[in-house]
Amino acid sequence: MASNAAPDTSTATVLAELRAEVAGREASVIREWTRIATWAEANVVDGVEGAATIREGFVDTGLPIAGDGAPLVSEFALMELVAVLGRSPDGGRAYVGQVLGCAWRLPNVWAAVMAGRLAPWRAAKIADQTHALSAEAAAFVDRQLFNASGVGWAQLERMIAEAVLRFDPERAEAERAAAADQRYVDIDEPTTNGLASVSGLLDAADARDRDEAVARRASLLGALGDATSLDVRRSKAVGELARADLMVDLDGSPGRKASINVHITPATLAGENPVARWNDRPVSAEQVREWLGGVGTVVVRPVIDLAEHIPVTSYEIPDRHRTQVELRDHACRFPHCGRKARRCDLDHARPHGRGGPTCPCNLVPLCRRHHRAKTHSEWRYEVTMPGTYQWTSLNGFGWQVDHRGTHPLRT
C-alpha cells in the first residue's frame, strides 16, 4: 500500500500524529462554532414563531431552529450561512440549530466544548437529543451534565426521560399520540440493478401483522420450490402480497400499472442497446422485461426533446413543460439543495408579470423554502445557459449550480 510516511515511522509516532490531527480538527470546529454563535447574535429576528418581520426592505421570518429559549434567527440570512458552510439546506439548518442549542440552552455543555473537554460531535448529539425539551427541562439536563465528557447515551436518555416527567408530565402522553402521525412508508428510487430500498415507521401491531404475513408467504414460496435464501424470499413475499391486493378491483382498474419514458435509438430497435431508464436512472432492459411480466396496463410516452421551446401565454404551467424541466434539472436549483424537482415549485426566472414566458427555458425548479427566498428576499439567480444558474446571496456571495452540483464563485 502506498504511504507518505517514512519507512522507519513507528506505530506510536503515527498514532501521536493522528491524535494531534484530531485535536486540530476539533479546535477548528470550536472556532467555527464560536463564529456561528456570533453570527446568530447579529441575525436575531424578534417575534413569535412564524411572525414576519420587515428587515432592510424585505419580509423575513424568525426561525426557531434550536428549541425553546434559543433566539429566532433570520430565515434568509440562515440560508446564506448554510450555503457558506457548504452544507445542504436541511442538514445545514439542523447543524446550526445544534450549535445554537448548545450556546443558549446548554451552557455547561457549551463550556465543556469551548474548554476542549467535550468533542463537538458529542455536544451536537446532546443538543439533538434535548431539542424538544422545554427551556427548564433542558437546563435540568444541562446541570446533570456538568462533567459532560463522560456521559453515555443511555444515561442521557434517562436524564431526558426524568426531565420530561419533572417539568412536563403531560408530554409523554401527548408525544405518544403525536407519534402516530409520524408513521410512513418510503420506497426509494431503484438502483441500476433494479432494486429499491423500502423504509418505514409502522404501528407496532401493524408491523407484527406484516412480519407474520411476510414470513408465511416466504415459507410458502420455499415449500413451492423457491430455492433462494430466506431473506430473498421475504423480499419477494412483499411484492406477492402487494400484487394480490392490486388484483382486487377497488377502483375499476385492477392490476399493476407501468409508466415508462421510452428513448428509442437504432441500436435499441436492433436489440443492441441493453439500457433502459426508470425516471432518470439507467436500468437494464432485462430488468424492465421482468417488471412488465405481470403488468395489467402499460402507458407508453414518447421521448421529450429537452431543447424544445413551445411557450404558452398563460401563467399556469402545462404538464409537458413540468416534465421537460424535471428531466432537465432533476432537483431544486438552489445551492446544495437536493429536493427532487417533481416535489418543487416551478419558478418563472423572468417574472411572468414582466414579460417572462411560460416556457421550459424560463422555468426553474425551486422547493417551497427556496422559492420563498427568491421571491421575498434579496437572494437572486441568473440563468447563464439552459440548466446552469448563478446565485447571489444577501451579502454578495455567489454560487453556480448546474448538472455537476454546486460550485462557490469567487467574489
Side-chain angles (χ1 to χ4, degrees):
M1 181 180 69
S3 173
N4 294 326
D8 59 350
T9 300
S10 69
T11 298
T13 299
V14 171
L15 293 176
E17 291 172 346
L18 284 172
R19 173 180 283 181
E21 292 290 343
V22 171
R25 183 171 66 244
E26 291 188 351
S28 176
V29 173
I30 290 171
R31 292 193 295 272
E32 181 175 302
W33 279 32
T34 302
R35 288 177 173 85
I36 290 173
T38 301
W39 169 91
E41 291 174 345
N43 288 279
V44 171
V45 174
D46 296 327
V48 298
E49 180 179 347
T53 303
I54 304 298
R55 289 167 54 88
E56 299 177 3
F58 59 87
V59 178
D60 202 354
T61 300
L63 296 180
I65 63 171
D68 181 37
L72 308 180
V73 295
S74 160
E75 178 182 18
F76 301 136
L78 177 63
M79 291 178 186
E80 181 179 36
L81 172 64
V82 169
V84 167
L85 291 171
R87 293 175 177 263
S88 69
D90 290 337
R93 176 173 169 166
Y95 171 65
V96 175
Q98 292 166 348
V99 176
L100 303 192
C102 289
W104 268 268
R105 286 162 45 88
L106 304 169
N108 284 317
V109 171
W110 178 264
V113 172
M114 295 298 109
R117 299 194 311 271
L118 181 65
W121 72 266
R122 289 184 176 274
K125 189 167 183 178
I126 293 171
D128 259 349
Q129 296 293 316
T130 57
H131 179 91
L133 297 180
S134 66
E136 282 185 318
F140 169 80
V141 173
D142 184 62
R143 289 194 296 272
Q144 312 308 307
L145 294 174
F146 183 76
N147 294 313
S149 57
V151 69
W153 303 126
Q155 180 184 0
L156 177 63
E157 289 178 0
R158 290 193 294 270
M159 290 179 187
I160 292 173
E162 182 178 350
V164 172
L165 291 173
R166 282 176 177 264
F167 298 97
D168 196 357
E170 297 180 357
R171 174 180 160 187
E173 177 58 26
E175 286 185 344
R176 187 197 66 78
D181 291 334
Q182 304 304 312
R183 290 173 290 182
Y184 72 96
V185 173
D186 274 345
I187 301 176
D188 293 343
E189 296 285 351
T191 67
T192 54
N193 292 322
L195 304 176
S197 295
V198 180
S199 61
L201 183 66
L202 308 179
D203 176 86
D206 290 343
R208 183 179 180 85
D209 290 344
R210 192 199 100 158
D211 186 62
E212 183 176 348
V214 168
R216 289 172 55 187
R217 185 62 65 98
S219 178
L220 177 60
L221 289 173
L224 293 174
D226 189 329
T228 56
S229 70
L230 177 60
D231 283 342
V232 172
R233 295 201 310 274
R234 283 177 62 87
S235 72
K236 291 180 179 179
V238 174
E240 294 280 352
L241 292 168
R243 281 188 288 278
D245 180 78
L246 288 173
M247 294 309 295
V248 179
D249 187 358
L250 297 177
D251 60 0
S253 55
R256 190 199 301 174
K257 301 176 180 64
S259 179
I260 305 172
N261 288 320
V262 180
H263 299 261
I264 300 295
T265 66
T268 303
L269 293 174
E272 298 170 359
N273 183 3
V275 180
R277 291 186 181 275
W278 176 293
N279 293 332
D280 60 335
R281 295 174 180 266
V283 296
S284 72
E286 182 58 36
Q287 177 69 72
V288 174
R289 280 191 287 271
E290 184 177 320
W291 283 335
L292 295 180
V295 167
T297 302
V298 178
V299 177
V300 180
R301 294 174 178 158
V303 66
I304 296 175
D305 182 359
L306 299 185
E308 182 180 64
H309 295 271
I310 306 179
V312 297
T313 57
S314 66
Y315 177 79
E316 289 72 23
I317 299 167
D319 289 343
R320 67 179 186 277
H321 284 182
R322 170 170 281 279
T323 300
Q324 186 173 337
V325 172
E326 290 174 359
L327 290 174
R328 182 191 68 205
D329 287 338
H330 304 312
C332 172
R333 295 291 81 190
F334 189 86
H336 300 293
C337 187
R339 190 172 298 278
K340 293 289 186 181
R342 63 178 178 271
R343 298 181 180 177
C344 291
D345 300 333
L346 294 187
D347 178 55
H348 285 73
R350 181 183 177 190
H352 186 264
R354 296 206 295 268
T358 299
C359 179
C361 65
N362 191 49
L363 297 175
V364 182
L366 297 177
C367 69
R368 184 57 55 84
R369 182 189 304 170
H370 297 132
H371 195 179
R372 288 187 63 253
K374 184 261 184 180
T375 302
H376 300 298
S377 82
E378 295 178 348
W379 275 97
R380 291 292 178 263
Y381 70 83
E382 295 181 4
V383 182
T384 57
M385 60 182 297
T388 300
Y389 311 94
Q390 185 168 314
W391 282 87
T392 303
S393 71
L394 284 63
N395 287 297
F397 292 91
W399 295 264
Q400 178 173 298
V401 180
D402 56 26
H403 67 282
R404 298 172 300 165
T406 299
H407 320 279
L409 299 175
R410 294 186 179 276
T411 56

